[in-house]
């Protein structure tokens, strides 16, 4: 008998999502799959089986913490709702995350496919994108979140009428830093993470000489560097 429960802090959806409506797999990764809805083209469902997988469990709890923080940033609110289901007979414990779907795909594909006969995007579009990218980075850092893998493929594009919005995704390498968890973060963090093309120069700061303020500064620099590579 399946048991359905909501995580503490789960955001109640405006409508009830039925996971049976999500039958089309549109992506897969190491920890789970992403499905499109057959009834609502604006929603996707990410499914992860965390049974007997502590790393996946930690990862999904971390991702939910980031997504729920991002929900405070109205323009970049991808998170809708999440739930979990445990079925002892099938030896599964599934987490489902319902998120908004972005109709123009990755920023990388948008840049490649939409510059027309020119080798550049229109100035108005570019200035709007640049503003949104740096505003999102600023919001993340203000909330102690450091993405650490900012790149064109991890920014989604959505068009609603004449409005174009960007959304950062894939927080798998991200780090949350505050004064109370500095030792825990230091014990497991690798400063040089991310995609090689977007990586900034290595920090000369020794690991044993890092406090919360200095760590935040280092991680901020890496994110800003990567965001600037995207803009370039």
């Amino acid at each position: 008998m399946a048991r359905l429960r909501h995580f503490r802090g789960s955001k109640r959806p405006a409508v009830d999502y039925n996971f049976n409506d999500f039958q089309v797999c549109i992506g897969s990764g190491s920890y789970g799959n992403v499905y499109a809805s057959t009834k609502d083209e604006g929603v996707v469902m990410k499914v992860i089986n965390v049974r007997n997988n502590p790393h996946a469990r930690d990862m999904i709890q971390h991702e939910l913490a980031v997504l729920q923080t991002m929900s405070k940033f109205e323009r970049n609110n991808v998170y809708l709702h999440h739930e979990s289901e445990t079925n002892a007979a099938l030896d599964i414990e599934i987490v489902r995350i319902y998120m908004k779907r972005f109709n123009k795909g990755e920023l990388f594909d948008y840049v490649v496919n939409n510059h027309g006969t020119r080798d550049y995007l229109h100035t108005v579009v570019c200035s709007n994108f640049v503003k949104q990218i740096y505003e999102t980075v600023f919001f993340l850092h203000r909330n102690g979140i450091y993405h650490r893998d900012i790149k064109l493929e991890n920014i989604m594009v959505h068009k609603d009428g004449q409005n174009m919005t960007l959304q950062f995704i894939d927080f798998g390498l991200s780090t949350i830093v505050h004064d109370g968890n500095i030792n825990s973060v230091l014990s497991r963090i690798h400063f040089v993470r991310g995609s090689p093309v977007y990586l900034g120069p290595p920090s000369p700061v020794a690991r044993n000489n890092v406090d919360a303020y200095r760590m935040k500064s280092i991680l901020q620099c890496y994110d800003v560097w990567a965001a600037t590579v995207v803009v370039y």
Side-chain angles (χ1 to χ4, degrees):
M1 186 74 170
R3 177 169 57 87
L4 192 66
R5 65 181 175 84
H6 294 273
F7 281 97
R8 181 178 301 174
S10 176
K11 185 177 181 181
R12 293 285 177 174
V15 297
D16 290 327
Y17 298 110
N18 185 337
F19 63 85
N20 291 314
D21 294 335
F22 295 81
Q23 299 293 331
V24 182
C25 183
I26 60 173
S28 61
S30 302
Y31 296 104
N33 300 320
V34 177
Y35 297 88
S37 172
T38 56
K39 293 187 177 180
D40 187 347
E41 63 180 15
V43 180
V44 295
M45 178 182 69
K46 184 175 182 178
V47 180
I48 307 97
N49 185 6
V50 299
R51 186 80 165 187
N52 300 321
N53 191 337
H55 185 68
R57 190 184 301 275
D58 291 344
M59 180 207 66
I60 202 64
Q61 294 286 14
H62 173 80
E63 183 174 357
L64 284 170
V66 173
L67 289 175
Q68 289 177 325
T69 299
M70 290 295 290
S71 69
K72 303 173 186 176
F73 192 22
E74 184 175 353
R75 190 190 67 236
N76 280 263
N77 180 15
V78 63
Y79 168 75
L80 297 172
H81 174 59
H82 68 273
E83 64 193 16
S84 73
E85 178 184 344
T86 301
N87 191 317
L90 298 178
D91 193 30
I92 61 172
E93 184 178 350
I94 290 175
V95 178
R96 302 186 188 95
I97 305 177
Y98 299 92
M99 298 180 289
K100 294 179 182 177
R101 185 177 187 180
F102 296 88
N103 57 17
K104 293 299 179 181
E106 298 175 356
L107 181 56
F108 178 87
D109 293 330
Y110 183 84
V111 171
V112 170
N113 297 329
N114 289 276
H115 61 67
T117 57
R118 303 186 301 269
D119 291 327
Y120 55 88
L121 294 175
H122 193 280
T123 303
V124 174
V125 176
C126 285
S127 62
N128 177 35
F129 284 178
V130 169
K131 179 175 182 289
Q132 291 189 52
I133 288 169
Y134 284 119
E135 283 180 347
T136 303
V137 171
F138 176 76
F139 174 85
L140 289 170
H141 292 174
R142 189 175 61 190
N143 286 275
I145 301 171
Y146 304 89
H147 190 286
R148 306 180 66 215
D149 196 20
I150 296 172
K151 57 184 179 181
L152 286 162
E153 294 88 341
N154 282 342
I155 302 176
M156 305 298 288
V157 184
H158 187 76
K159 186 174 183 180
D160 184 8
Q162 296 300 311
N163 296 321
M164 302 281 287
T165 56
L166 301 181
Q167 166 67 51
F168 284 29
I169 62 169
D170 196 354
F171 288 86
L173 293 180
S174 67
T175 300
I176 301 175
V177 180
H178 53 76
D179 293 340
N181 75 339
I182 183 68
N183 291 329
S184 172
V185 172
L186 270 176
S187 68
R188 54 186 169 80
I189 193 172
H190 297 279
F191 282 117
V192 182
R193 296 291 291 271
S195 302
V197 174
Y198 298 86
L199 281 178
S203 169
V205 178
R207 184 177 291 267
N208 59 3
N209 191 32
V210 176
D211 55 17
Y213 176 80
R214 192 167 295 185
M215 173 176 281
K216 290 178 181 179
S217 298
I218 295 170
L219 296 176
Q220 283 175 359
C221 289
Y222 279 126
D223 272 0
V224 172
W225 180 287
T228 305
V229 173
V230 168
V231 168
Y232 177 80

